[in-house]
Amino acid sequence: MNRNALLFGGVALLYILTGFFQSWNTALAIFNMGLISAVMALGVNIQWGYAGLFNVGVMGFVALGGLATVLVAMPPVPEAWSAGGLRMIGALIVGAGTVAGGILLFRRMAPGKARGLAALAVFAVGFLAYRALFDPARDAIEAVNPALVGYLGGANLPILLAWPAGALLAAGAAWLIGKTALGLRSDYLAIATLGIAEIIIAVMKNEDWMARGVKNVVGLPRPVPYEVDLQDSASFVETAAWWGLDPATASTIWVKLLYGCLFAVVLLLMIWLTQMALNSPWGRMMRAIRDNETAAEAMGKDVTRRHLQIFVIGSAICGMAGAMMTTLDGQLTPGTYQPLRFTFLIWVMVIVGGSGNNWGSVLGGFLIWWLWIQVEPIGSAIMNVITLPLPDDSGLKLHLLDSVQHIRLLTMGVVLLLVLRFSPRGLIPEK
């Protein structure tokens, strides 16, 4: 048995032991998020492992995928549309038209003072027109039953359509970002993508008319049955009894299994597509650009265009993973999108698994997510045993027990250092 099979078998064993020693509900919950994390890691690996693009704005593209679930799957709010929906659409059209018009004018006119003044005039007039339409429309929409809605709602389409929609929304944002940021040096690109990701989260938190902001959107439609509906089914209850399970436990396990099957199909499809791309002439060209941009340019390759292409593809995969995660959660909560979870942790998965290797990114996704969830309860249990001889009022005991909450970050740092020291190219290195 080769080394890669042993590594995947070891990670699988961690999930199986979780099921035996904790519960299968817990193991499946971790496994489902591991599937989604593996998809995110594939997206980052395409950008970094294939092309060497240092994107630390993963959080923003994941959040856009989550936003897509609301825009696609939630029912529209007729009162909000009547109050200011058309004016809001008009404002967005005016805003986009202003930006496009200003850029087009700037490109068409000859360089000089007149060009700058003309572009400035277009932006100033367009901005005033945009605000004249946007402000009253926003206020009218957000005033419609703000405790429960206060936003326009979505298209009321099947939730599974939100997954490709999330990919498209993230891809569109990546194209706009890439057109301006990909000409920067790698360290400046990292700063730019991080800042843009924070801007995306700030917009989602503050624009209540779009997706309720920090008031969150709850009750997203589900692609699988509700547990209570399964518990009301006589045939399901009989099947659960045959397996020796109570209906409540069986229903939660069954729902998680259904989610896992959907996510696994997406992950397998992504692995197949990325492997085909990696082993194609296009993949070899991307790695050649990554290794030596100057030589690739000398061979006639358009490096900037290829970087934009790979940046859009990787961001689209992250956006789809964000839509999958929001579907699993059943709600959109913009306040939970943090760089630590949706950028740093994904990068750790890619580096530990092996950048440039798709299977390595998948392995890193499952392993790091399991560690992220499990090291705190395991560390708490170990610390309780270590501090058992100390009296209950001991300051040292209380300090050690309170410090357990930081063990996640400590573990991630230790794992990263160990892998970089003993396997610098990751657990499954690029071939």
Side-chain angles (χ1 to χ4, degrees):
M1 187 178 294
N2 61 34
R3 180 172 178 267
N4 294 353
L6 287 174
L7 288 170
F8 275 100
V11 173
L13 182 61
L14 293 176
Y15 284 85
I16 293 171
L17 292 176
T18 302
F20 278 112
F21 287 99
Q22 295 184 17
S23 72
W24 289 107
N25 263 315
T26 301
L28 287 171
I30 299 173
F31 180 71
N32 285 340
M33 279 304 301
L35 288 167
I36 296 172
S37 298
V39 175
M40 293 183 191
L42 279 175
V44 174
N45 182 59
I46 284 176
Q47 295 174 336
W48 174 250
Y50 288 19
L53 295 180
F54 191 29
N55 172 23
V56 290
V58 182
M59 172 186 67
F61 300 110
V62 172
L64 288 174
L67 175 63
T69 60
V70 175
L71 300 180
V72 169
M74 289 301 288
V77 181
E79 298 85 354
W81 277 98
S82 298
L86 293 179
R87 283 183 293 171
M88 180 59 70
I89 297 298
L92 296 178
I93 292 174
V94 169
T98 299
V99 173
I103 294 174
L104 183 62
L105 180 68
F106 192 81
R107 288 180 175 177
R108 291 289 181 86
M109 290 185 66
K113 186 176 181 180
R115 182 175 71 170
L117 291 175
L120 181 62
V122 169
F123 284 124
V125 172
F127 178 77
L128 293 175
Y130 164 76
R131 298 301 303 198
L133 290 170
F134 177 84
D135 291 347
R138 176 201 59 203
D139 296 341
I141 293 168
E142 294 178 359
V144 176
N145 195 4
L148 296 177
V149 283
Y151 76 121
L152 290 173
N156 203 25
L157 297 173
I159 187 70
L160 291 180
L161 294 179
W163 298 5
L168 290 174
L169 185 59
W175 185 84
L176 292 173
I177 295 167
K179 289 294 285 185
T180 56
L182 285 179
L184 302 174
R185 212 172 61 192
S186 60
D187 47 352
Y188 295 141
L189 174 64
I191 296 170
T193 52
L194 177 61
I196 292 169
E198 291 290 349
I199 291 171
I200 290 171
I201 300 300
V203 171
M204 289 178 59
K205 285 181 178 179
N206 291 284
E207 299 300 329
D208 289 8
W209 63 270
M210 183 168 56
R212 302 200 73 226
V214 294
K215 292 184 286 187
N216 306 334
V217 176
V218 298
L220 286 166
R222 299 173 63 171
V224 300
Y226 285 92
E227 290 84 353
V228 66
D229 294 334
L230 293 174
Q231 295 165 26
D232 290 338
S233 170
S235 60
F236 182 85
V237 172
E238 291 176 4
T239 304
W242 187 82
W243 283 94
L245 299 171
D246 64 274
T249 302
S251 63
T252 54
I253 289 177
W254 181 243
V255 167
K256 288 182 175 65
L257 282 172
L258 292 176
Y259 271 121
C261 290
L262 290 173
F263 298 154
V265 168
V266 175
L267 177 60
L268 291 174
L269 179 62
M270 288 297 104
I271 291 175
W272 179 72
L273 290 174
T274 52
Q275 283 293 102
M276 292 286 287
L278 183 64
N279 297 321
S280 68
W282 177 86
R284 291 190 289 272
M285 176 189 64
M286 293 308 306
R287 282 179 288 179
I289 292 174
R290 176 198 65 188
D291 294 338
N292 195 325
E293 290 186 14
T294 304
E297 286 180 339
M299 295 296 293
K301 304 302 180 184
D302 190 339
V303 172
T304 302
R305 182 180 178 184
R306 296 306 178 185
H307 278 173
L308 178 62
Q309 186 181 62
I310 205 78
F311 187 71
V312 168
I313 293 172
S315 300
I317 294 175
C318 291
M320 182 170 59
M324 293 162 59
M325 185 186 69
T326 304
T327 302
L328 177 64
D329 293 340
Q331 59 182 355
L332 176 66
T333 52
T336 61
Y337 291 105
Q338 301 293 332
L340 174 65
R341 163 66 183 92
F342 295 105
T343 296
F344 168 74
L345 199 63
I346 305 303
W347 270 97
V348 172
M349 294 173 184
V350 173
I351 294 170
V352 169
S355 64
N357 191 307
N358 296 315
W359 289 106
S361 297
V362 172
L363 176 71
F366 283 110
L367 174 61
I368 296 302
W369 181 252
W370 186 89
L371 290 172
W372 182 256
I373 297 298
Q374 291 291 75
V375 292
E376 187 170 339
I378 292 174
S380 179
I382 294 173
M383 194 61 70
N384 278 317
V385 173
I386 293 174
T387 59
L388 194 60
L390 298 174
D392 292 338
D393 59 349
S394 168
L396 177 60
K397 181 175 184 177
L398 295 175
H399 173 71
L400 291 174
L401 292 177
D402 289 340
S403 300
V404 170
Q405 60 183 315
H406 304 297
I407 198 169
R408 279 180 171 177
L409 298 177
L410 175 65
T411 303
M412 292 301 105
V414 170
V415 168
L416 192 58
L417 287 174
L418 289 175
V419 170
L420 291 176
R421 171 61 181 84
F422 296 103
S423 185
R425 298 173 61 202
L427 297 176
I428 304 181
E430 178 185 6
K431 294 181 180 180

